Amino acid sequence: MDELIREIERHNELYYLRDEPEVSDAEWDALLRELQELEAAHPELLRPDSPTQRLGASPPTGAFPTVEHRVPMLSLDNAMNEGEFLAFLERVQRLAEQDAPLEYVGEPKLDGAGVELIYRAGRLEVGSTRGDGRKGEDVTANLRQCPTIPLTLHCDTPPQRVSVRGEVVLPHKAFERLNRLRREAGLDPFVNPRNAAAGALRQLHNIDRARLRSLEFRAYALAEGKPQGVQSQWQVLETLRSWGFGVTEQCARCPDPAAALAYHQRMLAAREDFPIEVDGTVFKVNSLALQEKVGNLPRSPRWAIAVKFPPQQATTVVEAIEVNVGRTGALTPVAKLEPVFVGGVTVSNASLHNQDEVERKDVRVRDTVVVQRAGDVIPQVVKVVESKRPKGTRRWKMPAACPVCGSEVVRLEGEAVTRCPNLDCPAQLKNNLFHIARRGALDIEGLGEKLIDQLVEAGRIARISDLFALDRDALLGLERMGEKSATNLIEALERSKDTRFSRFLIALGIRHVGEGVAELLARHFGGDLDALMAAPKEVLERVEGVGPTIAESVVSFFADRRNRAEVERLRQQGLRWPRSEPTAAVSGPLAGKTLVLTGTLDGMTREEAKERIEAAGGRVTSSVSKKTHYVVAGAEPGSKLARAEKLEIPVLDEAGLLELLGA
Ligand code: IVH
C-alpha cells in the first residue's frame, strides 16, 4: 500500500506540477482503485494521508515560490444534510446573542480553485493558490492570463493593500470545448472542470494559454482593504462588483434562517442550469461585526457553512461489461455505458472493481443503472434499476480466461482480485515495459506507450530481455520509425544498461517491489544479485522494512524458473550496476529530485548545499536540462539561470531551498 501511495503521488506530481504525465488517467485510476481495494480489505492499514482520502486536495508543493496569506484562507465547515444545517443556524444564533433572527448571505458554492489576489495601490501584485491556508503558491503569471481578473482595480482611490479572494472556475462550455480539442489531439481529456482549472493555474511547462484564457474568476471575499463603511458581506460583494470583479449573480440576502433554507432548495433545483460547477450553497452571517463576535475555529469560521448538494446521479444503460488487465495482471470489470451527462462530465465507463462487487450489485449487460459522480472520484454504479431489467439477461461472471492472452485466471483465497498469472501476457508485458522504461526504473528515453504497443503487437517483444536484443533493422520495420529515432532508441537502450541495482530490481516487476523496497533490498544485498536470489524468506524478512508479504513475493518470483532465466538473459545482455550501492538517502523530501546550483548562497557553501540536498534524497548535477527539477540560484548566478528560465524550470532562492529541505 505504501508503494502504491508513493507511485500515485509521483504521478500526481508529474501530472500537476510538471505537466508531463507518464500514465493515462485510466492507468492512474487503476492504481487508485488497487489502493482503494486494499484499503477496503485492510481498513486498519488505511493511512490518513492516503491519496484516496484527499482526492482533489492541493498537489505537492515546492514547484512554485510560496506566498504567505497574511490573513489565513480558512476553509468551510460542511453540512451534509438539512439537520446539520439547522444545527448550524441554531448554534450561530446562540453565539451571536441576538434576539432577532440573523440575516445571512447565501451564495452558490463554486467548485473550482480558491485563490487570493493581492493588489497594491490598485494594481495586481501577487496571485496565489490557497495551499494549506497559511501558505499558497505564487501563480501570478498564470493568473494574469485570466481575462476576468482585473489587473487594476476600477476605483479612484484604492486602499493601499487589498486581498480579494474568490474561486477560479472553468465554465462547462469551455470544459467541453477544451476536452473536444484534447481528444482530437490524441490527449487524455480532463476529468472535470475543477481539475482542469486547478491544473491550469499550476502549469509550469508548455503553458496552455487557451485553457488559462477560458478560466473565470468569481470573487466572494475581501480579507484586507475593506473600505470604510463596509459593514456586511453583502456590501463586500457590492464593493467587489464595483471594483470590476465578477461576483456570482445568484448570491442573495436571506433575512432569516427560514429564508436561508428556502434559498438552498432554490439553488438545488437550479443546479443544472448553472454555467459552472456548483456543488452546494454557502451561508455567511451578513453583519461583519457579528461575524467577528461569533468567531473562527482554527480551520474554519463559525459564522459560515457550506451545505453540500447530494452527489449527482443519472440513469443509463450498460452496453457491455469489459475486463481490463492491469500491470500486476489484475482483472478489473468495467461497465461500458451509454454516454450520460452527470455533474458536468460525460460518463461512458464506470469501474465495477471486482467480481464480488458485480455480484453484490448484480449488474448485468443491458441493465439500466444509476451512476454517480462525486467530486473527482471515478464514476460509480450505485445500483441497478431492477424494474427496468429486460428479459433474458444473465448474471455476469468473470471470464475464466484472460481476455488478452487466454490464460486461465486465478483468484487466491481471501483476495478480491482475480489475476492473469501469465507473466508473458501481452497486457502485462506492455504494462511492464512501460514501467521499466520510465524514469526511476531503467529510464529508457523515447520508449513510450505507443511504441511499446507497436513492438508487442508486431511480435518484436515477448519478454523484457527482447527489448535489449532489438536492433536497428527490427525497429526500422515499424510504422513511423525513422533512421534517427531508431538510432536514438538503440543508444538509449545501451545507456540504460548501466544502471543501479535498485533500478534493475524495479525493472524486474516483482510484485510489491517498488522504488522504496528495491532500495532497501539493494542496500542490504549491496548489489549482489546472486545473494538476493538465493535468500530464503527468513533472511529477507530480516531486511529492515521488508515484511512477510514482500519476502514471499520475492522468493516466489525467483523460484520461478522462467524468471531466473530472464534474469540471466538480462545479465548477459550487459545490464550492470556497481556492487555496493552508494549510500545516498532515498527517502526524504527531495527523493528522486535533481537540482542544479548556480551563484553563491548566503548561509552555506556549495558543498554544504550539495550534502544537504543529497541527505534529503536529492541529486545535484552540473548542467540544466529538461530533467532538472529545480535550479537554486544564489547571488550572481551564471548562464544556468537563463537556461532554467528558458526551459521553464522552477527557480528557487536559498529560502526556497531551505523550505524544500524542510529546514
Ligand atoms: S468563502 C472563510 N464562499 O470552498 C470562508 N468559499 O471549503 C472561506 N468556495 O476554500 C471562503 N464557493 O475555495 C467561500 N461562495 C463561496 C465559495 C467558497 C466556493 C470554496 C473556497 C474555499 C472552500 C471551502
Side-chain angles (χ1 to χ4, degrees):
M1 288 162 80
D2 287 346
E3 281 302 321
L4 274 167
I5 290 179
R6 262 198 294 275
E7 185 71 3
I8 291 167
E9 281 175 348
R10 202 175 63 79
H11 289 306
N12 284 352
E13 184 185 314
L14 286 167
Y15 182 89
Y16 289 110
L17 293 182
R18 303 185 58 79
D19 212 15
E20 275 179 359
E22 279 181 4
V23 295
S24 67
D25 288 2
E27 281 168 292
W28 185 91
D29 286 346
L31 290 173
L32 195 75
R33 210 153 49 221
E34 192 176 343
L35 180 60
Q36 278 167 336
E37 277 166 16
L38 288 168
E39 286 171 350
H42 306 279
E44 73 284 2
L45 296 179
L46 174 69
R47 273 168 44 175
D49 63 344
S50 162
T52 60
Q53 303 304 298
R54 56 184 174 97
L55 287 177
S58 28
T61 54
F64 293 88
T66 45
V67 176
E68 194 145 344
H69 304 301
R70 281 200 195 166
V71 180
M73 289 181 80
L74 299 181
S75 60
L76 291 166
D77 194 12
N78 286 323
M80 303 310 281
N81 51 48
E82 204 165 284
E84 290 180 17
F85 182 32
L86 289 172
F88 161 84
L89 293 167
E90 271 171 31
R91 188 166 62 240
V92 175
Q93 192 71 40
R94 190 163 32 78
L95 290 165
E97 300 178 300
Q98 301 293 301
D99 295 330
L102 288 184
E103 181 174 51
Y104 287 89
V105 172
E107 303 175 9
K109 181 164 193 304
L110 313 173
D111 195 12
V115 299
E116 171 174 61
L117 304 172
I118 301 291
Y119 291 80
R120 225 184 251 282
R123 283 171 180 280
L124 176 63
E125 189 178 73
V126 186
S128 56
T129 60
R130 176 170 176 274
D132 64 5
R134 318 234 149 220
K135 282 181 189 161
E137 288 169 307
D138 183 339
V139 290
T140 317
N142 287 338
L143 282 169
R144 276 184 195 282
Q145 306 276 332
C146 305
T148 52
I149 293 185
L151 298 177
T152 51
L153 298 178
H154 305 182
C155 168
D156 295 335
T157 48
Q160 192 43 37
R161 188 181 146 101
V162 167
S163 155
V164 174
R165 276 119 190 238
E167 204 84 354
V168 166
V169 295
L170 185 66
H172 287 145
K173 279 227 169 70
F175 173 73
E176 279 151 39
R177 191 186 66 240
L178 286 176
N179 268 355
R180 204 167 48 242
L181 293 174
R182 282 179 78 86
R183 284 198 194 91
E184 280 164 18
L187 298 169
D188 285 325
F190 296 117
V191 186
N192 59 31
R194 165 156 48 89
N195 270 15
L201 293 184
R202 311 183 76 260
Q203 296 180 88
L204 280 167
H205 304 285
N206 314 325
I207 310 271
D208 177 355
R209 291 187 206 284
R211 182 149 53 124
L212 288 169
R213 276 193 299 270
S214 312
L215 296 176
E216 244 181 63
F217 176 73
R218 303 274 184 112
Y220 47 63
L222 197 46
E224 294 172 60
K226 272 181 214 100
Q228 284 255 310
V230 168
Q231 289 170 358
S232 67
Q233 168 65 6
W234 190 250
Q235 287 171 326
V236 165
L237 295 179
E238 284 178 332
T239 307
L240 289 167
R241 235 181 232 130
S242 75
W243 283 351
F245 292 96
V247 172
T248 314
E249 264 169 51
Q250 290 80 358
C251 295
R253 270 190 289 193
C254 307
D256 54 45
L261 266 170
Y263 176 85
H264 178 74
Q265 294 307 333
R266 234 175 25 249
M267 292 300 119
L268 181 57
R271 82 193 279 199
E272 305 279 348
D273 307 332
F274 283 101
I276 57 179
E277 186 82 354
V278 170
D279 61 350
T281 50
V282 179
F283 292 92
K284 301 172 184 173
V285 168
N286 191 24
S287 152
L288 299 184
L290 288 179
Q291 285 184 4
E292 199 163 328
K293 179 158 187 203
V294 174
N296 294 328
L297 294 170
R299 290 196 53 241
S300 56
R302 271 197 294 219
W303 45 266
I305 195 143
V307 190
K308 290 294 206 117
F309 290 155
Q312 270 169 302
Q313 299 189 334
T315 54
T316 186
V317 174
V318 178
E319 292 179 332
I321 298 178
E322 291 180 358
V323 175
N324 286 345
V325 186
R327 182 162 69 77
T328 56
L331 271 60
T332 308
V334 177
K336 297 282 162 183
L337 307 169
E338 202 170 275
V340 60
F341 197 71
V342 194
V345 294
T346 306
V347 169
S348 46
N349 292 317
S351 171
L352 293 168
H353 308 285
N354 54 47
Q355 170 83 52
D356 292 349
E357 176 88 359
V358 184
E359 268 168 24
R360 198 167 55 74
K361 292 182 178 159
D362 189 14
V363 182
R364 307 179 184 191
V365 177
R366 294 196 289 135
D367 262 344
T368 296
V369 290
V370 176
V371 289
Q372 158 173 315
R373 228 193 105 248
D376 57 1
V377 188
I378 45 168
Q380 286 189 310
V381 172
V382 183
K383 61 169 189 204
V384 171
V385 186
E386 275 186 41
S387 58
K388 291 208 174 158
R389 175 169 284 166
K391 284 218 177 74
T393 60
R394 275 202 257 143
R395 275 188 170 273
W396 185 83
K397 269 185 48 201
M398 189 66 97
C402 167
V404 178
C405 71
S407 304
E408 196 177 321
V409 298
V410 285
R411 181 171 167 188
L412 297 181
E413 278 261 335
E415 275 203 22
V417 197
T418 308
R419 287 178 204 280
C420 165
N422 175 14
L423 292 173
D424 299 329
C425 171
Q428 285 191 61
L429 181 65
K430 280 181 186 177
N431 282 316
N432 274 339
L433 287 168
F434 192 69
H435 178 65
I436 286 168
R438 71 178 176 81
R439 256 187 251 164
L442 293 183
D443 192 4
I444 308 168
E445 229 172 287
L447 185 61
E449 207 167 356
K450 295 229 167 65
L451 185 53
I452 290 172
D453 285 352
Q454 267 194 34
L455 286 165
V456 173
E457 276 153 30
R460 297 283 202 287
I461 298 186
R463 54 169 87 90
I464 312 281
S465 55
D466 293 345
L467 192 58
F468 295 96
L470 286 173
D471 57 16
R472 266 169 48 92
D473 291 341
L475 289 175
L476 284 173
L478 298 174
E479 249 172 76
R480 274 174 302 160
M481 172 66 73
E483 294 264 347
K484 181 111 181 73
S485 329
T487 311
N488 286 347
L489 183 60
I490 298 286
E491 282 173 10
L493 282 167
E494 207 46 50
R495 273 199 306 278
S496 71
K497 288 182 184 171
D498 248 319
T499 188
R500 302 192 339 190
F501 189 40
S502 57
R503 290 172 167 241
F504 176 78
L505 293 179
I506 295 169
L508 290 180
I510 307 169
R511 279 192 70 202
H512 304 302
V513 180
E515 264 159 78
V517 175
E519 198 68 42
L520 295 170
L521 292 172
R523 259 193 269 170
H524 185 90
F525 288 92
D528 188 344
L529 177 59
D530 295 307
L532 172 64
M533 283 170 65
K537 194 162 173 246
E538 309 74 62
V539 171
L540 290 168
E541 276 182 44
R542 263 183 265 132
V543 179
E544 208 192 303
V546 172
T549 319
I550 298 171
E552 175 81 57
S553 167
V554 173
V555 168
S556 68
F557 182 87
F558 289 118
D560 189 319
R561 197 166 33 82
R562 288 169 302 180
N563 291 336
R564 281 204 310 275
E566 176 71 353
V567 166
E568 220 29 67
R569 275 190 294 270
L570 289 168
R571 268 210 277 212
Q572 281 181 359
Q573 282 165 331
L575 273 91
R576 60 195 162 247
W577 50 88
R579 281 293 268 266
S580 186
E581 284 278 282
T583 48
V586 283
S587 54
L590 287 178
K593 297 278 190 289
T594 305
L595 288 85
V596 172
L597 303 169
T598 177
T600 328
L601 297 177
D602 249 334
M604 53 185 136
T605 66
R606 248 209 234 193
E607 262 327 292
E608 276 164 6
K610 183 160 184 270
E611 267 175 36
R612 293 182 66 173
I613 290 168
E614 285 172 352
R619 214 156 63 93
V620 175
T621 59
S622 55
S623 65
V624 181
S625 77
K626 264 172 67 184
K627 294 197 175 168
T628 308
H629 292 93
Y630 303 101
V631 170
V632 182
E636 294 173 45
S639 62
K640 289 173 193 168
L641 180 60
R643 181 151 167 81
E645 273 159 5
K646 185 153 164 268
L647 294 176
E648 299 188 284
I649 288 163
V651 177
L652 304 173
D653 56 10
E654 189 166 344
L657 173 62
L658 288 172
E659 194 147 329
L660 278 190
L661 289 168

